[in-house]
């Protein structure tokens, strides 16, 4: 006999946990289908609107207690190209902010979100995976890999890039895989970053040091996969010191490193047939400009609004939520995807026009305060 729930959220990443809390707090009986997963070793720079949403939704208490404020961003063109961009620094104070955002360890955010979920009435966690999903007469029939069966009015696919929910709802996807990957690890550095995130732009991707408090930093190094694997095999610390151009003194690698393959992904719609997609099931791109989870949390904020506006007593309410959610997310997904694709493309492009465009862009940002302000507001998701 199948159990029934109004909303089933599939996926136990940060977006899944946040969506489950949003659905339960909006008053829906909610089943969170989330198999045990290895600890998420990534860190996320989350901007003002994301932090405000997490706080408002009760997912975190005090961002200061959980993350490290990002007060400046420095971009250094370390390519050996003919057309190189000027070194550019953005200070949050210049735009009237104390910080652009906060750098959080995903694992710590996950613990905080899980605590919020445990305190939610109407939210049940099922440590199982989704094996199959099909929709019959407005009702989703879900088979879990634990052997259990569940029916749900609305399903939320927060099940990552390979989303089964996306396939079951018949939502088309465009995906592009890159030769580049991202290596992450934690570092200890002689001279602390003091709130400054430093991006060295190399030919095959940025090498970014993100402040993690005191003299620690999180490294996000995007490069060709073979170069990253060679650096790991031949001595990561040496490669990291060379790439940092010794600007911060000696650097020590203090955790194991992890490599994430990179791709970009976009969907034709973020919701359809009583199913909605949130987070990387709906959008993915290389981690430049810190957009991925910020966009995922904006998905959750819109889902929250759509659910609160829904009338679960009316026939077809789940279809109505999927439709209003897809309409609400369309513009943001399109704009953000185009922004990151453009940024990544211009950084990697071997063609002079693209390099000239990027260089001119950074000169303009340096020279024109109004443009800087607009660019920063966009990057912060405002
Ligand atoms: C190196 C790196 C650095 C990044 N830095 C930033 C940053 O600074 N700022 C920022 O905003 N973003 C950043 N991002 C992006 C951000 O990490 C992602 O956008 C975000 O973590 C995606 O969360 P998610 O919950 O959508 O997906 P995931 O974390 O992939 O979670 C999906 C979950 O679904 C589960 N799942 C899959 N299939 C099933 C199934 N059949 N049944 C049940 N569960 C299933 C998986 O087990 C997984 O737990 C970065 C990404 C990388 C790779």
């Amino acid at each position: 006999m199948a159990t029934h729930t109004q909303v089933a959220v599939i996926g136990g990443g940060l977006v899944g946990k946040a969506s489950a809390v949003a659905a339960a707090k909006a008053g829906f009986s909610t089943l969170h289908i989330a198999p045990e997963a290895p600890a998420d070793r990534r860190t996320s720079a989350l901007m003002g609107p994301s932090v405000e949403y997490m706080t408002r939704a009760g997912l975190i208490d005090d961002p200061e207690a959980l993350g490290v404020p990002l007060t400046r961003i420095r971009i250094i063109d370390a390519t050996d190209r003919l057309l190189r961009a000027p070194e550019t620094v953005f200070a949050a104070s210049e735009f009237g902010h104390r910080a652009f955002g906060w750098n959080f360890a995903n694992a710590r955010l996950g613990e905080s979100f899980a605590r919020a979920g445990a305190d939610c009435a109407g939210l049940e966690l099922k440590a199982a995976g989704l094996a199959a999903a099909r929709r019959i007469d407005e009702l989703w029939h879900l088979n879990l890999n634990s052997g259990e069966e569940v029916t749900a009015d609305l399903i939320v696919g927060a099940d990552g890039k390979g989303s089964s929910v996306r396939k079951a709802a018949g939502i088309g996807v465009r995906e592009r895989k890159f030769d580049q990957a991202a290596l992450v690890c934690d570092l200890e550095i002689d001279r602390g970053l003091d709130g400054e995130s430093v991006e060295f732009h190399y030919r095959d991707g940025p090498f970014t040091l993100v402040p993690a408090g005191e003299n620690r930093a999180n490294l996000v190094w995007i490069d060709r996969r073979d170069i990253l694997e060679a650096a790991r095999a031949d001595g990561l610390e040496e490669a990291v010191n060379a790439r940092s151009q010794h600007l911060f003194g000696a650097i020590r690698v203090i955790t194991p490193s992890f490599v994430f393959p990179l791709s970009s992904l976009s969907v034709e719609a973020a919701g359809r047939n009583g199913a909605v997609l949130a987070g990387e099931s709906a959008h993915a791109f290389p981690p430049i400009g810190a957009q991925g989870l910020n966009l995922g949390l904006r998905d959750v904020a819109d889902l929250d609004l759509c659910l609160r506006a829904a009338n679960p007593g009316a026939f077809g309410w789940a279809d109505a939520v999927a439709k209003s959610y897809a309409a609400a997310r369309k513009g943001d997904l399109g704009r953000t995807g185009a922004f990151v694709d453009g940024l990544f493309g211009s950084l990697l492009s071997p063609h002079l026009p693209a390099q000239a465009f990027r260089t001119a862009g950074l000169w303009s940002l340096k020279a024109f305060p109004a443009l800087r302000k607009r660019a920063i507001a966009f990057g912060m998701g405002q």
Side-chain angles (χ1 to χ4, degrees):
M1 168 87 177
T3 358
H4 180 72
T5 183
Q6 287 175 305
V7 179
V9 177
I10 326 297
L14 290 171
V15 173
K17 287 189 173 91
S19 301
V21 169
K25 285 198 173 176
F28 292 85
S29 63
T30 304
L31 185 68
H32 187 195
I33 298 166
E36 301 280 350
D40 187 339
R41 305 284 175 173
R42 293 169 290 186
T43 55
S44 297
L46 295 181
M47 306 307 168
S50 302
V51 174
E52 277 158 31
Y53 177 73
M54 292 189 297
T55 314
R56 197 171 64 241
L59 294 164
I60 62 170
D61 295 324
D62 177 12
E64 300 280 341
L66 212 58
V68 174
L70 301 170
T71 53
R72 283 188 311 282
I73 298 169
R74 181 179 300 270
I75 298 174
I76 299 171
D77 189 338
T79 61
D80 50 3
R81 289 182 172 139
L82 196 58
L83 295 174
R84 290 174 55 200
E87 183 169 322
T88 313
V89 181
F90 300 94
S93 56
E94 191 189 334
F95 308 97
H97 300 294
R98 170 168 132 52
F100 288 118
W102 280 262
N103 181 33
F104 297 98
N106 286 13
R108 290 198 71 194
L109 281 181
E111 286 160 15
S112 181
F113 289 14
R115 274 195 301 276
D119 290 346
C120 260
L123 173 55
E124 189 192 335
L125 176 65
K126 186 76 67 190
L130 177 71
R134 68 208 153 97
R135 196 171 191 231
I136 306 165
D137 297 334
E138 310 282 321
L139 198 61
W140 280 101
H141 294 255
L142 310 178
N143 294 92
L144 310 192
N145 59 13
S146 54
E148 291 157 283
E149 288 177 31
V150 175
T151 56
D153 299 313
L154 178 77
I155 57 173
V156 178
D159 49 348
K161 289 183 189 176
S163 175
S164 318
V165 171
R166 192 176 61 220
K167 286 183 205 115
I171 297 178
V173 63
R174 269 196 319 270
E175 190 168 9
R176 179 177 164 211
K177 295 191 190 319
F178 295 102
D179 294 336
Q180 281 80 5
L183 179 148
V184 300
C185 63
D186 294 353
L187 309 173
E188 210 171 69
I189 50 186
D190 272 358
R191 282 195 291 283
L193 296 172
D194 193 21
E196 182 168 285
S197 176
V198 185
E199 283 185 26
F200 296 87
H201 286 187
Y202 283 98
R203 186 174 278 270
D204 282 302
F207 172 96
T208 306
L209 301 174
V210 190
E214 296 169 358
N215 66 338
R216 279 178 298 113
N218 302 125
L219 172 66
V220 182
W221 176 9
I222 298 178
D223 214 317
R224 287 203 333 259
R225 205 179 171 125
D226 55 319
I227 292 183
L228 297 177
E229 293 302 350
R232 286 171 106 194
D234 300 342
L236 184 57
E237 205 160 275
E238 201 180 319
V240 167
N241 274 283
R243 293 255 157 183
S244 74
Q245 305 188 356
H246 307 282
L247 288 185
F248 309 98
I251 297 185
R252 288 162 296 283
V253 174
I254 57 170
T255 59
S257 58
F258 294 85
V259 173
F260 295 85
L262 300 185
S263 58
S264 70
L265 179 156
S266 59
V267 286
E268 55 185 0
R272 181 177 291 163
N273 298 330
V276 303
L277 303 176
E280 288 204 333
S281 62
H283 47 78
F285 23 72
I288 58 168
Q291 294 294 316
L293 184 56
N294 282 290
L295 190 58
L297 288 168
R298 298 208 289 278
D299 295 339
V300 181
D302 271 342
L303 176 62
D304 197 332
L305 289 176
C306 292
L307 286 171
R308 283 173 196 275
N311 174 7
F315 178 77
W317 72 266
D319 276 325
V321 168
K323 212 168 159 186
S324 61
Y325 174 80
R329 296 309 298 140
K330 193 170 191 287
D332 194 10
L333 296 197
R335 271 190 309 274
T336 309
F339 169 71
V340 182
D341 280 349
L343 209 62
F344 198 54
S346 74
L347 184 63
L348 302 189
S349 176
H351 303 299
L352 275 180
Q355 291 169 26
F357 181 71
R358 181 173 154 273
T359 305
L362 280 168
W363 274 112
S364 311
L365 289 180
K366 221 172 147 64
F368 302 113
L371 203 61
R372 280 164 83 78
K373 204 168 174 185
R374 187 63 217 115
I376 285 295
F378 186 82
M380 290 174 73
Q382 291 169 342

